[in-house]
Amino acid sequence: MMLQAGSVHAFTCLGKFAPTHSLRYLSKRSSYAPDDDPWGARGPSGRRGGRGGVGGKGRGGRAGGPSDSSPRGAGGYQRRQRSEEFEARRTAAEGMDFIYGATPVLNALLACRRASFEELLLQDRSEAPSKDVQFAAELAGDMGITISYLPKHDMNMLADNRPHQGVILTAAPVELEQVSCLPEATGSGECWLALDEVVDPQNLGALLRSAEFLGASGVVICAKNSAALSPVVSKASAGALEIATISSTRNMPRFLEACREKGWRVVGTTLAEGSIPLGEVEVGPSTILVLGNEGHGLRHLVQRACDTLVTIEKKKGPGSAGPVAGDGNEGARRGRGGGVDSLNVAVSGGIATTPPPFLVPLVGPLDALRFTSVNKGDT
């Protein structure tokens, strides 16, 4: 009796909230066929029919294919069709870049430095897009670029599930100018960044962003063993890739030697013994600031091509694990355990290019500037 009462009570409670087809299932009807059943009707024995193929029928089930009126058949056909259209779009855009994010797309359209723009893709959604996306759509329309609307799933796939902000631009890859030397130094305090085999796209993007924001004249990267100038770099740089002056060189040590002969001061950042604190560097001369690989830093031949080697001093404090970085005692500090003895290359580049010492003639002393960077949603 207690079991019967419990069963009736459970059925009564479920009856308040359960949909009609659940009640019919609990009442043990032999033919379970609710109106909204997405999987097709069961046969008279209560067993579900097989899934219908295109133009075929499953046992006890409904016909499949594009002419099928069941939600299952129609949905499957629509998914297949959408998948085929998506693959066709990717195949047609082979060799092109899918630039994603509002600021990178907008900068690419405004700078117009890429060889061609094929299509602007916007996410099909109910809410209004941002002002940057609307402006990008207006620019694309004025330039005669095809504008298409895609569902969020397809946009995510084209952007490799990275934050695209509802806009993707299909464009030709960035083409770099090969250089063997910079023009004659003017002595006006100009500063270039030279990146020796920086392979991480996020680091490369962050360095381009810092260089563009702080007023560096340009950036030189290695033609080999460097991160490709991909949409990931464009997004990480907040679109700085699209507007910054970027060149490549086949031989970084020879490039630096040639620049020294033309009056450039070459400063390398390293933790090697013999480097001086960044604050002791003389302000003024035209400078090439060299930053090394994330793992091994500057290569030996690149270090030899530098006039000066500098390091960023580590502040001593309660959390300090030892003396300043770059004193040649990194191994001993690691042996004691704990602490942080180095900086990410992108952070080092941002600190080193911040005035003083290299960009003082361009933007003024840091203590007089007192600026703050406004981050617009990390676009």
Side-chain angles (χ1 to χ4, degrees), residues 170-187:
T170 306
V174 175
E175 296 181 1
L176 291 182
E177 178 188 1
Q178 292 276 348
V179 296
S180 58
C181 184
L182 293 180
E184 195 81 24
T186 62

Side-chain angles (χ1 to χ4, degrees), residues 176-234:
L176 291 182
E177 178 188 1
Q178 292 276 348
V179 296
S180 58
C181 184
L182 293 180
E184 195 81 24
T186 62
S188 60
E190 55 192 330
C191 177
W192 279 70
L193 284 186
L195 307 181
D196 183 33
E197 297 187 348
V198 173
V199 297
D200 185 272
Q202 298 290 339
N203 284 334
L204 179 56
L207 286 165
L208 293 176
R209 183 175 186 173
S210 297
E212 180 64 23
F213 179 80
L214 294 170
S217 301
V219 179
V220 179
I221 65 175
C222 294
K224 296 182 179 179
N225 300 325
S226 291
L229 299 184
S230 63
V232 177
V233 175
S234 185

Side-chain angles (χ1 to χ4, degrees), residues 280-354:
E280 296 181 10
V281 178
E282 179 188 356
V283 175
S286 298
T287 301
I288 299 175
L289 179 65
V290 191
L291 298 165
N293 175 270
E294 295 89 343
H296 53 72
L298 294 180
R299 291 174 291 167
H300 179 65
L301 291 178
V302 174
Q303 289 189 34
R304 290 180 58 182
C306 296
D307 294 304
T308 307
L309 298 178
V310 300
T311 188
I312 299 172
E313 292 182 292
K314 179 180 178 182
K315 297 295 183 181
K316 294 184 178 180
S320 178
V324 298
D327 60 355
N329 199 29
E330 295 84 10
R333 285 203 303 279
R334 291 192 192 96
R336 290 198 298 270
V340 176
D341 61 4
S342 63
L343 290 172
N344 174 274
V345 63
V347 176
S348 300
I351 293 173
T353 51
T354 301

Side-chain angles (χ1 to χ4, degrees), residues 25-229:
Y25 175 74
L26 290 173
S27 63
K28 298 184 179 179
R29 289 190 54 175
S30 61
S31 178
Y32 170 49
D35 295 335
D36 59 345
D37 178 16
W39 301 100
R42 292 182 183 269
S45 63
R47 298 175 61 187
R48 187 185 305 279
R51 297 180 181 178
V54 177
K57 294 185 177 182
R59 183 167 55 184
R62 296 177 179 175
S67 61
D68 183 18
S69 60
S70 70
R72 172 68 177 180
Y77 173 72
Q78 291 172 0
R79 284 192 295 272
R80 286 194 299 272
Q81 187 179 40
R82 189 166 65 243
S83 177
E84 291 172 359
E85 293 174 353
F86 174 79
E87 291 301 328
R89 185 184 300 277
R90 293 202 67 161
T91 302
E94 187 174 357
M96 306 291 282
D97 282 349
F98 290 104
I99 309 170
Y100 59 91
T103 305
V105 168
L106 191 55
N107 281 351
L109 292 172
L110 288 171
C112 206
R113 289 166 50 176
R114 294 181 181 247
S116 63
F117 301 111
E118 296 295 327
E119 189 177 18
L120 182 70
L121 306 174
L122 302 177
Q123 182 176 323
D124 188 7
R125 53 187 178 185
S126 56
E127 67 271 16
S130 66
K131 292 182 179 180
D132 285 345
V133 174
Q134 293 181 31
F135 187 28
E138 293 174 4
L139 283 175
D142 294 340
M143 298 168 66
I145 301 172
T146 303
I147 300 177
S148 302
Y149 293 85
L150 295 180
K152 184 178 181 180
H153 172 270
D154 291 358
M155 298 285 285
N156 291 343
M157 294 292 288
L158 290 174
D160 291 331
N161 289 315
R162 295 185 175 93
H164 50 75
Q165 298 173 295
V167 60
I168 296 175
L169 178 64
T170 306
V174 175
E175 296 181 1
L176 291 182
E177 178 188 1
Q178 292 276 348
V179 296
S180 58
C181 184
L182 293 180
E184 195 81 24
T186 62
S188 60
E190 55 192 330
C191 177
W192 279 70
L193 284 186
L195 307 181
D196 183 33
E197 297 187 348
V198 173
V199 297
D200 185 272
Q202 298 290 339
N203 284 334
L204 179 56
L207 286 165
L208 293 176
R209 183 175 186 173
S210 297
E212 180 64 23
F213 179 80
L214 294 170
S217 301
V219 179
V220 179
I221 65 175
C222 294
K224 296 182 179 179
N225 300 325
S226 291
L229 299 184

